[in-house]
Amino acid sequence: MIGEYAFCPTSGASLSREAHYDEQGRPERVPQSDDLSPNASLDAPLTMGKRRSSRRALTTYFRRCHRRHTDPNDELSRRAALAIGRLKRRASGRQERDLIVWFALGERLARDGFDVDWMTSHAEPRCPGCSGRLTYAVGPDGPVGRCGGSCDDTGDDRLETIRETVRSLFAQTFPDDPTPDTDALELL
């Protein structure tokens, strides 16, 4: 995921700091062969600009971010891993982007009764077209996000586009749950 806390899209290892070891002294940047998807190799791509990550990498990122805010919660970790797996299997096209999965995950966990406010500090909405930063203006119904880059943004509210994509992924993945209104999404 693009952002301050970038991580390896294959292994989930943190790329935001120089240390290559976690709190228990295990190497973070070395994926284990049994943890990789069948199509992955042991050579972990060390990039800070990937928009799509493996299920394992996003789950590892979730757990690491949660530890920055509070004590580990096994139930939350299990629910998040299950939801990430379901979201990643259902996602296609733009829905596959980590940002969209992250926001849909936040909605799912909030509906399960977990506090997800901390998740907003680990994901910054980006332009769906070019992944550039958004610039914000005050609109009649709240903030309006426009592409701050040079993509083919027509001036439309990019936050609304992100909300619709998250809402669509949520509805496809969890059809038994009522689809959230775009203005009622937990993290956006």
Side-chain angles (χ1 to χ4, degrees):
M1 186 177 318
I2 299 171
E4 181 181 352
Y5 300 109
F7 60 94
C8 172
T10 302
S11 69
S14 174
L15 301 177
S16 300
R17 57 193 171 104
E18 292 299 317
H20 304 297
Y21 300 93
D22 65 9
E23 293 79 20
Q24 287 80 34
R26 297 177 299 210
E28 285 189 322
R29 291 188 179 200
V30 182
Q32 303 300 316
S33 60
D34 59 338
D35 295 334
L36 295 173
S37 67
N39 299 329
S41 69
L42 287 177
D43 298 323
L46 300 177
T47 176
M48 294 181 71
K50 281 281 200 182
R51 292 179 256 180
R52 294 175 174 90
S53 302
S54 70
R55 176 197 52 79
R56 178 186 177 356
L58 202 55
T59 302
T60 302
Y61 179 71
F62 176 86
R63 288 180 180 143
R64 185 180 308 111
C65 291
H66 184 256
R67 277 195 318 250
R68 287 185 175 123
H69 294 277
T70 187
D71 294 329
N73 180 334
D74 291 339
E75 181 63 22
L76 174 63
S77 292
R78 279 192 295 275
R79 292 273 182 101
L82 178 64
I84 289 170
R86 289 180 69 184
L87 288 163
K88 290 294 239 178
R89 277 192 299 278
R90 255 328 176 173
S92 62
R94 286 190 175 164
Q95 293 176 344
E96 289 178 313
R97 292 184 178 181
D98 291 342
L99 182 69
I100 302 301
V101 173
W102 188 261
F103 289 140
L105 172 65
E107 181 67 26
R108 180 64 195 175
L109 295 175
R111 287 177 180 224
D112 287 343
F114 294 102
D115 173 33
V116 294
D117 291 338
W118 61 271
M119 291 178 71
T120 57
S121 63
H122 295 281
E124 175 186 353
R126 297 275 187 155
C127 175
C130 68
S131 294
R133 292 185 183 271
L134 296 179
T135 58
Y136 297 95
V138 178
D141 298 324
V144 175
R146 293 196 172 86
C147 180
S150 60
C151 75
D152 296 333
D153 183 10
T154 59
D156 295 336
D157 184 3
R158 308 315 269 169
L159 285 175
E160 186 62 29
T161 305
I162 294 168
R163 286 185 189 110
E164 279 298 322
T165 308
V166 170
R167 187 175 177 268
S168 173
L169 176 59
F170 189 89
Q172 290 172 14
T173 307
F174 307 107
D176 295 337
D177 288 353
T179 304
D181 294 330
T182 55
D183 293 337
L185 289 171
E186 190 67 32
L187 297 183
L188 284 170

